[in-house]
Amino acid sequence: MSRITVKELLGHALENKYAVGYFESWDLQSTLAMVRAAENVKSPVMIGVCGTYVGEAKRRYKESLAVYYAMLSKIAEEAKVPVALLLNESDDEAMVIEAAETGFDMVMFAPVFASDALPLQELTEIQKRIVEKAHAKGVAVEGEVGELPLFNSATGELHEGEDTDPELCRSFVKETGIDAVAVAVGNCHLKEDGKVTINYDALRTLAKEIDIPLVLHGGTSIAHEDLSKAAAMGVAKVNFGTGMKRAAINAVKAYLAEHDVDHMDPNDVLGRGAGKDMIVKEQEAVIAYVEETIRALNGENKAF
């Protein structure tokens, strides 16, 4: 098993009381690490990139979505576990539609990092257009109802969010036709301490009243015991990005502290792929993070 549809993947997760981890790539090595980790613990997995980051206006060099897709899809095809591809959280409707046409298995429009939230009616109309075009290509669509708090690790500031209203969520799902919905129940974007308080009563209500798979973003903010409990309650997918990057950064910091790179063969430090390679250490840190997280999601040995 390798590439799989999102409907199969999330359906299997719900039936078997685990949550699929979506692990967000930033380059080739991180993507390989995520899939190798999933293979090691025999778990289904979702991989992809953040559309907002790929399309960042301040990005020094313009990126090609097709190049990212080519990398992701080839790795997915060669994987030994079920894998699906997601274009996550793009604030560009055209990019989301391009991703659906390119071949991503699921796409998501969400102006997460925009300074002002879109009015609900405008967001609804955008989602309806995306759903129509994505479904025509056999591509699933994830939406979002509610607003996660947003933490700035550089300043320590927290932008308050708004928990998901079940009635509003049910109406939005019905009107737009989305296939999965991200909800806000105490989880937080970009927060790394794993200490948020999940509102289980709200989550239980949403799981009962919403008839499509539920998703939690901001997975790094959630304690492992809460991840396990949420998965058992009907959350089908949880998103991770920040924690893996922190693990990679810490691995590089440790490597530079332990090695006198000025007196080493640069090919040993970068590119040879052997025991002294800094990128190997970075990848192993990401592998360890993903394995541990998958276990917390009840996903170990759930490959099919």
Side-chain angles (χ1 to χ4, degrees):
M1 178 65 72
S2 54
R3 193 76 176 271
I4 191 171
T5 68
V6 169
K7 182 177 180 180
E8 290 176 284
L9 189 58
L10 299 186
H12 187 267
L14 289 172
E15 289 173 10
N16 292 276
K17 303 296 184 183
Y18 70 98
V20 174
Y22 163 68
F23 299 100
E24 191 158 270
S25 313
W26 59 92
D27 62 6
L28 172 64
Q29 298 301 328
S30 63
T31 312
L32 290 170
M34 295 161 195
V35 174
R36 285 169 179 161
E39 290 175 335
N40 289 347
V41 296
K42 299 179 176 60
S43 170
V45 69
M46 189 175 288
I47 58 175
V49 291
C50 176
T52 300
Y53 293 156
V54 172
E56 169 62 59
K58 296 179 181 178
R59 202 173 182 100
R60 287 285 296 274
Y61 305 106
K62 184 176 174 60
E63 301 284 2
S64 165
L65 190 61
V67 169
Y68 279 103
Y69 174 77
M71 173 187 73
L72 293 163
S73 61
K74 186 62 178 175
I75 291 172
E77 288 167 9
E78 294 185 354
K80 299 173 183 176
V81 295
V83 182
L85 309 184
L86 169 67
L87 177 75
N88 186 44
E89 291 177 339
S90 174
D91 57 5
D92 182 344
E93 181 181 351
M95 175 186 280
V96 175
I97 293 170
E98 178 190 350
E101 293 173 342
T102 300
F104 280 82
D105 302 305
M106 185 157 71
V107 296
M108 182 181 188
F109 176 87
V112 175
F113 305 107
S115 58
D116 296 305
L118 286 176
L120 179 61
Q121 191 54 44
E122 183 179 350
L123 178 60
T124 300
E125 292 305 317
I126 291 171
Q127 289 286 20
K128 287 166 67 175
R129 290 195 297 267
I130 289 171
V131 166
E132 180 180 5
K133 293 182 179 180
H135 283 183
K137 296 289 184 180
V139 174
V141 178
E142 180 178 337
E144 184 173 39
V145 178
E147 181 186 4
L148 265 64
L150 182 64
F151 184 74
N152 187 327
S153 57
T155 65
E157 296 176 348
L158 180 68
H159 170 75
E160 296 293 339
E162 183 179 353
D163 286 355
T164 302
D165 178 272
E167 186 175 341
L168 186 65
C169 186
R170 185 170 55 247
S171 176
F172 185 80
V173 167
K174 182 178 180 180
E175 188 168 355
T176 61
I178 57 175
D179 304 283
V181 61
V183 297
V185 289
N187 40 324
C188 180
H189 266 132
L190 308 184
K191 204 166 191 296
E192 302 177 48
D193 61 6
K195 294 182 179 179
V196 299
T197 300
I198 297 298
N199 185 338
Y200 284 112
D201 289 338
L203 183 57
R204 191 174 293 108
T205 298
L206 288 164
K208 180 180 179 181
E209 296 191 11
I210 306 303
D211 61 1
I212 61 172
L214 300 182
V215 177
L216 295 181
H217 287 224
T220 305
S221 72
I222 305 171
H224 279 187
E225 57 267 28
D226 288 324
L227 291 174
S228 298
K229 188 172 179 179
M233 288 174 62
V235 170
K237 177 170 79 74
V238 184
N239 287 24
F240 299 88
T242 305
M244 289 179 299
K245 290 180 179 177
R246 183 64 66 190
I249 290 167
N250 287 342
V252 172
K253 284 171 60 179
Y255 181 96
L256 293 174
E258 295 165 4
H259 294 81
D260 183 5
V261 294
D262 291 336
H263 295 91
M264 293 173 64
D265 180 347
N267 297 291
D268 286 338
V269 177
L270 286 174
R272 200 180 298 280
K276 295 181 180 180
D277 195 314
M278 180 168 60
I279 302 303
V280 170
K281 301 302 183 184
E282 177 184 335
Q283 189 175 139
E284 288 175 344
V286 175
I287 288 172
Y289 179 94
V290 174
E291 288 180 353
E292 184 179 4
T293 302
I294 287 173
R295 292 188 179 101
L297 295 169
N298 307 331
E300 187 172 17
N301 294 319
K302 296 299 196 305
F304 58 99

